Amino acid sequence: MTHPTGDPAIPDPAERAALNAALIATGIETGFWDDHGRPAPWPHDIDQWQPETGEPVTRKPGEQPF
């Protein structure tokens, strides 16, 4: 299925629930982890996530990035 926004990478809620159940049954990781570093299911609100964007940092000539 395709996400309502058209992004095929994000399954819709019903598909996420099915994927989470299958992943729990087989012990496969989703690529998401909880606050303790354990594998976690797909987040219920992933379809509301927005990419973080910011202004590019302009450095002076020769200035190190960190």
Side-chain angles (χ1 to χ4, degrees):
M1 289 197 135
T2 303
H3 182 266
T5 64
D7 185 347
I10 301 174
D12 65 22
E15 187 175 359
R16 284 197 307 268
L19 288 169
N20 287 339
L23 292 169
I24 289 169
T26 60
I28 296 174
E29 295 181 2
T30 60
F32 294 98
W33 291 269
D34 66 13
D35 293 337
H36 303 286
R38 295 179 296 234
W42 277 81
H44 70 287
D45 63 346
I46 194 169
D47 54 351
Q48 298 169 5
W49 289 12
Q50 296 292 321
E52 287 188 21
T53 59
E55 296 296 319
V57 177
T58 306
R59 289 186 278 285
K60 297 176 186 170
E63 183 180 5
Q64 296 295 320
F66 300 104

